[in-house]
Every structure is written in C-alpha cells, then in structure tokens.
C-alpha cells in the first residue's frame, strides 16, 4: 500500500510540475497576437476603403519580446523599419497613375490588359499587378479571364504572394469589379511579418479604365 501511495504522490507531483512549467510558445503568443492586432489597425487606417487588411501573422525577435515595449509601440517600431525609399514622385501621383490599363477600349474587342494597384503602405513603393483578357461585345463585357497570378512590381522590402483573383460584373455588364487577394511577407528588425491583403478596382468597360472602388460596395 505504501508503494502505491508513493507512486501516486510522484504522479501528482509530476503533473503539477508540467502544468506550471512555462513554454516559449505560450509566453510569446499573447504579445505577438497583440502586435498583430495593432499592425492590422495601423495599416488599415492607411489602406482606404478599396483595400482590406487581414490579421497579420507575427513572429517577434527575442530582443523585441524582451524589450518591455507595449504591443502598440512594437507595431509602430516595426513599421518604422520599412519606410518608403526615396523617389522623384509623391505617392499621391503614383496612385493617380496606377488607374490606367494598357489598352484602348472599343465596342467590340478582345483585349489583353493589366490591372496595377499601388499599395499605400510603408513597405516601399509597391504595385500589385494582375494581367487579364476581356472580351467586349456591343460595349458589354462577355467574359474576363485572368492570365496567370497577380504579382508585385516596384521597390519594396516585402514579397507579394498571390492567393487568388476574382471578379464580379454588374447587371449592365459595363462595369466589373476585380479583386486581388494575397499576402505581403517581410522580415524587419529580425521579426517576421505576413500581412493578408485584399484589394479591388472597378473596371469601366466603355472607357477601359480602372478606379478605386469600395471592396464591399
């Protein structure tokens, strides 16, 4: 009986030790989750209504985890590390120029075009592009086909990873909303950040131009 009692006592002690021992993942996860929420909020404020910022995945460096900084300060610190590079044009000018497609619209035509969207984030100067082919008959969209995946161009510390592209067409078939979804991945201050992004443009069939449009209008 005494042997059984000792074995039982030892089992209880081991169970209690396992319960109280901290793990690196459980210790880091709350702060990284808080930083992710703060990053989403800060980037969302700069995104505008045509871009949706998902909840980032964050893996902080040990130095930031042990810095004693708040989640908001760490998020701001990470964004400071990816300031835009110098350029001869203001971001507002770049945004104005990204609303064009590389073709001229006609009442009946099959056209290869490129949607190009400027990302207004502090990741450098980055455009997200999606090549597509539109079939227009009697000034109405008959079909639209994406040519390959979306891709990033410009100067950026981040890398664009395509998830999917889709489109919707209004009842008149003279306007299509093109939506591109992907993830921006970057390494900054020794920390890994992956930001899900979804952006939309309204494609006018008659003028063959693209305009920013609310993502969920």
């Amino acid at each position: 009986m005494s042997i059984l009692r000792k074995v039982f006592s030892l089992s209880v002690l081991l169970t209690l030790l396992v319960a109280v021992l901290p793990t690196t993942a459980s210790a880091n996860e709350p702060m990284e989750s808080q930083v992710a929420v703060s990053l989403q909020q800060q980037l969302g404020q700069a995104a505008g209504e045509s871009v949706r910022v998902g909840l980032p995945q964050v893996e902080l460096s040990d130095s930031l985890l042990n810095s004693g900084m708040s989640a908001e300060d760490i998020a701001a610190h990470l964004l400071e590390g990816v300031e835009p590079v110098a350029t001869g044009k203001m971001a507002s000018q770049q945004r104005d120029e990204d609303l064009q497609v590389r073709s001229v619209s006609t009442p009946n035509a099959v056209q290869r075009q490129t949607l190009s969207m400027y990302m207004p984030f502090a990741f450098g100067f980055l455009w997200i592009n999606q090549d597509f082919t539109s079939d227009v008959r009697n000034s109405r969209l008959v079909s639209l086909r994406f040519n390959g995946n979306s891709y990033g161009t410009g100067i950026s510390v981040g890398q664009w990873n395509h998830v999917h592209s889709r489109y919707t067409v209004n009842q008149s078939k003279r306007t299509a909303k093109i939506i591109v979804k992907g993830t921006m991945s970057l390494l900054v201050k020794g920390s890994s950040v992956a930001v899900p992004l979804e952006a939309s443009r309204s494609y006018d069939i008659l003028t063959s131009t693209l305009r920013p449009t609310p993502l969920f209008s």
Side-chain angles (χ1 to χ4, degrees), residues 32-203:
E32 291 176 338
S33 297
Q34 293 174 42
V35 171
V37 171
S38 184
L39 281 172
Q40 183 183 29
Q41 293 173 346
Q42 294 186 40
L43 291 174
Q45 292 174 356
E49 60 182 2
S50 63
V51 178
R52 180 173 66 178
V53 180
L55 185 66
Q57 293 182 347
V58 180
E59 294 183 8
L60 295 175
S61 64
D62 291 339
S63 59
L64 282 179
L65 282 171
N66 300 322
S67 65
M69 299 169 63
S70 67
E72 291 76 13
D73 289 340
I74 290 178
H77 180 65
L78 291 175
L79 292 180
E80 287 177 359
V82 284
E83 288 291 336
V85 296
T87 181
K89 296 181 180 180
M90 298 295 292
S92 60
Q93 292 177 292
Q94 301 285 14
R95 283 194 292 270
D96 289 341
E97 293 179 4
D98 80 359
L99 307 183
Q100 305 301 317
V101 290
R102 302 170 189 168
S103 65
V104 178
S105 180
T106 58
N108 297 282
V110 175
Q111 305 175 74
R112 292 181 60 87
Q113 302 164 303
T114 298
L115 173 154
S116 184
M117 297 180 288
Y118 177 77
M119 286 289 125
F121 301 143
F123 295 153
F125 288 97
L126 177 73
W127 285 261
I128 305 304
N129 309 281
Q130 175 63 66
D131 301 330
F132 66 95
T133 299
S134 62
D135 186 355
V136 177
R137 295 285 181 265
N138 298 319
S139 299
R140 286 175 170 78
L141 182 65
V142 176
S143 66
L144 188 149
R145 183 178 71 255
F146 295 117
N147 304 320
N149 296 335
S150 61
Y151 55 94
T153 56
I155 303 175
S156 172
V157 300
Q159 179 180 356
W160 174 257
N161 301 296
H162 171 85
V163 175
H164 67 77
S165 296
R166 66 185 191 275
Y167 73 95
T168 59
V169 182
N170 68 351
Q171 290 185 346
S172 67
K173 295 186 177 182
R174 292 184 175 179
T175 302
K177 178 185 290 187
I178 300 175
I179 301 172
V180 177
K181 183 176 183 179
T183 302
M184 174 61 63
S185 301
L186 64 155
L187 183 67
V188 57
K189 302 294 178 66
S191 300
S192 174
V193 181
V195 186
L197 298 172
E198 194 170 14
S200 66
R201 287 292 184 268
S202 179
Y203 173 47

